[in-house]
Amino acid sequence: MNITYLQEEIDKIVASSTKIDEKLQAICDFLEAEISYYDWVGFYFKNGDKEELKLAQFTGEPTEHTIIPFGKGICGQVAVSNENFVVQDVSEQDNYISCGWKVKSEIVIPIFVNGENIGQIDIDSHTANTFSAKDEELLMYICKKLSVIL
């Protein structure tokens, strides 16, 4: 994984003159295309004043999980903990919401705006034990860049 190249391309997307929704979709599409083991890439955001997340832009197979209550699944846990969550083997998680039988690992990184957790980027992989510190670094970089424009 060439972090420098990926960060430069993300910078171009974030700096583009397109609307926020289009930037988020472009990030999903770019990551899924560039990183072979990123099989589903999406954003969830807090759904107004409700204690739940709502699916926004994504790339990959459609999911029935368009609304996720806080605390439920990996995404819901990140909404409560405000911490990164890397799951190398989803079968070992008791509080896991399956998005499909192919998903073997997942990484979720929160997005903060003015210190508030407003959403997250969620990556699913069909490969177990695939995420590294480089993935976490890249996704944290993306979330930090997005926090400035959201």
Side-chain angles (χ1 to χ4, degrees):
M1 174 186 297
N2 182 340
I3 292 268
T4 303
Y5 163 74
L6 295 169
Q7 288 175 336
E8 288 170 356
E9 293 302 308
I10 292 296
D11 289 347
K12 290 176 189 173
I13 293 170
V14 172
S16 70
S17 60
T18 59
K19 297 176 184 173
I20 297 281
D21 291 355
E22 293 168 351
K23 291 179 193 203
L24 294 173
Q25 188 62 56
I27 290 170
C28 292
D29 295 343
F30 172 73
L31 290 175
E32 192 268 342
E34 288 292 320
I35 303 174
S36 63
Y37 53 93
Y38 282 22
D39 297 300
W40 191 94
V41 179
F43 289 97
Y44 283 93
F45 291 100
K46 187 173 182 205
N47 191 11
D49 291 336
K50 299 176 184 173
E51 295 287 303
E52 64 186 25
L53 298 165
K54 184 174 183 181
L55 180 63
Q57 290 70 27
F58 72 94
T59 298
E61 293 181 20
T63 176
E64 63 188 46
H65 304 292
T66 57
I67 300 290
I68 298 176
F70 281 13
K72 186 165 171 123
I74 308 306
C75 292
Q77 290 177 72
V78 169
V80 174
S81 72
N82 299 320
E83 295 178 3
N84 300 349
F85 201 156
V86 182
V87 179
Q88 297 293 3
D89 182 352
V90 297
S91 70
E92 296 178 356
Q93 287 292 314
D94 292 335
N95 188 6
Y96 174 70
I97 302 172
S98 176
C99 289
W101 63 271
K102 294 186 223 173
V103 178
K104 304 289 187 242
S105 56
E106 182 173 8
I107 184 170
V108 179
I109 308 294
I111 303 168
F112 294 96
V113 173
N114 299 323
E116 180 186 352
N117 182 348
I118 62 146
Q120 53 202 228
I121 188 168
D122 178 19
I123 314 286
D124 291 345
S125 179
H126 298 165
T127 307
N129 302 306
T130 195
F131 296 116
S132 71
K134 284 189 174 190
D135 294 289
E136 201 166 355
E137 177 186 344
L138 173 64
L139 298 173
M140 287 172 60
Y141 179 87
I142 292 169
C143 290
K144 188 173 181 183
K145 287 290 181 178
L146 289 175
S147 71
V148 176
I149 63 168
L150 291 171

